[in-house]
Amino acid sequence: MAKIKTLYFCQNCGHQSPKWLGRCPSCGEWNTLVEEVIQKDDKNEKGAWRISSSKQISSKPRSIADIKYNEEHRIITEDQELNRVLGGGIVPGSLVLIGGEPGIGKSTLMLQIALSLGEKKVLYVSGEESEQQIKMRAERIEKNKQSQCFILTETSTQNIFKQIEIFEPDLVIIDSIQTLQSSFIESGAGSVSQVRECTAELIKFAKESGTPVFLIGHITKEGSLAGPKVLEHMVDTVLQFEGDRHLVYRILRTIKNRFGSTSELGIYEMLGTGLREVSNPSEILISQREENLSGITIGSMLEGNRPLMIEIQSLVSPATYGTPQRSSTGFDAKRLNMLLAVLEKRGGYRLGVQDVFLNVAGGLKVEDPAIDLSVCTSIVSSYEDVFVPQNVCFAAEIGLGGEIRAVTRIDARISEAEKLGFKEIYISKYNTKGIDLNNFKIKIHAFSRLDDVFGKLFS
Ligand SMILES: [Zn+2]
């Protein structure tokens, strides 16, 4: 047995160092370096994935004109939301990491996809649950009866590759990467070096065999569990499965994608029978209300290529104790403070002595600045206690001078608003160039100043 070799790994970013350091030089976090044994027990890598020499294609230089690229090779799943976040189906030989908090429904999503692939052979490797537990879940989902989904409860990568060689699956799902263990590494399952080694072995397998691999990885709210963060730069695609486990809606978000655009979004509803795709998310993001309430407005946001209409709620009330409270859910708190300052300075609203609570309905996080106008009108609507009609929506950014600024893809936003039955939309005057307003049935109000919008709505 060779001398035991150890290295120190940052549990946050995976940086390695031969000696212990108080602060990681790579990510700057304190106290994240942990010693791990990394001795490989076999130089020949016996048991690692290796393709038989007859199948191996040795690489040689090829002219870029001769390289054929075929979109058709992607595996198109029945799940339109997943297809979209992946950039149009599963790419052969790709490694996709699905990260998320425990209990959010990652296993359900993957099992559901495995069961819906028809004649494609899927190997579902689980180190988390027993065969019986997975069977029970599959019964609940009850998708395609002809599915070729096979369950393997195993954690050793060497044994998994043995089974893969015999079984020759079209798709491999690993649930989860934290349970895998490679015998080349001595540290325990779930440690940074173990997670990295197992992923490296799976990447080798995926690239050489052309079989796509999905990895499930758990992360906690604090990101304290080692693993997925470290893997983000190793894999081709990183999807994040988000949502409050107490809420019914789940969001599948692209964080990184070598084969498509990032910032794509898939929305699911968690039902007793599994996850249902929500193909028209605006319908669920806008609550159905009977009465008109002040402080509620509808704004347009763009997620990936898709315009969504989203409900903004705010509550403004006089601060009873000293410092007024500002609280924001789903919207950047700094941006909220900035908009409040603009309303105070340019609009003359005395918001400095008011508590302001802002909430984006549906548990979404909005980064699109086009939501600004909706946020501002929502706040003023609550402050003045005058409601905004339910068939009115907004799509514009607000500048520090109280000016209404243009946003990207305004035509797509207007079309979406029209499709959903809105009668009026407020946009920036600077957004009207290049679009034909007569193409739309919806009434378009184009303004350049915030005061003009408020004058029209609240006076
Ligand atoms: Zn680090």
Side-chain angles (χ1 to χ4, degrees), residues 10 13 24 27:
C10 169
C13 70
C24 169
C27 68

Side-chain angles (χ1 to χ4, degrees), residues 343-384:
L343 290 173
E344 178 118 22
K345 177 98 178 163
R346 311 285 172 194
Y349 296 100
R350 304 246 356 242
L351 293 162
V353 292
Q354 306 278 336
D355 287 338
V356 179
F357 303 96
L358 187 85
N359 182 33
V360 176
L364 273 185
K365 283 190 196 77
V366 189
E367 278 163 12
D368 187 349
I371 210 80
D372 284 357
L373 184 57
S374 177
V375 169
C376 287
T377 42
S378 159
I379 291 165
V380 175
S381 160
S382 177
Y383 178 84
E384 299 276 18

Side-chain angles (χ1 to χ4, degrees), residues 10-15 24-29 32-33:
C10 169
Q11 303 290 307
N12 186 47
C13 70
H15 176 83
C24 169
S26 173
C27 68
E29 287 293 311
T32 53
L33 268 75

Side-chain angles (χ1 to χ4, degrees), residues 49 123 125 152 159-169 172 174 202 205 211:
W49 171 259
L123 185 64
V125 182
L152 174 67
N159 291 343
I160 291 168
F161 288 133
K162 248 180 247 161
Q163 294 302 324
I164 284 176
E165 248 174 295
I166 303 163
F167 183 67
E168 295 186 332
V172 177
I174 306 287
L202 286 163
F205 157 69
T211 311

Side-chain angles (χ1 to χ4, degrees), residues 390-393 417-418 420-425 441-445:
Q390 294 189 22
N391 54 13
V392 171
C393 61
E418 194 175 85
L420 288 165
F422 286 92
K423 295 281 179 277
E424 296 173 47
I425 186 167
K441 281 199 284 302
I442 187 170
K443 184 159 172 45
I444 299 169
H445 302 281

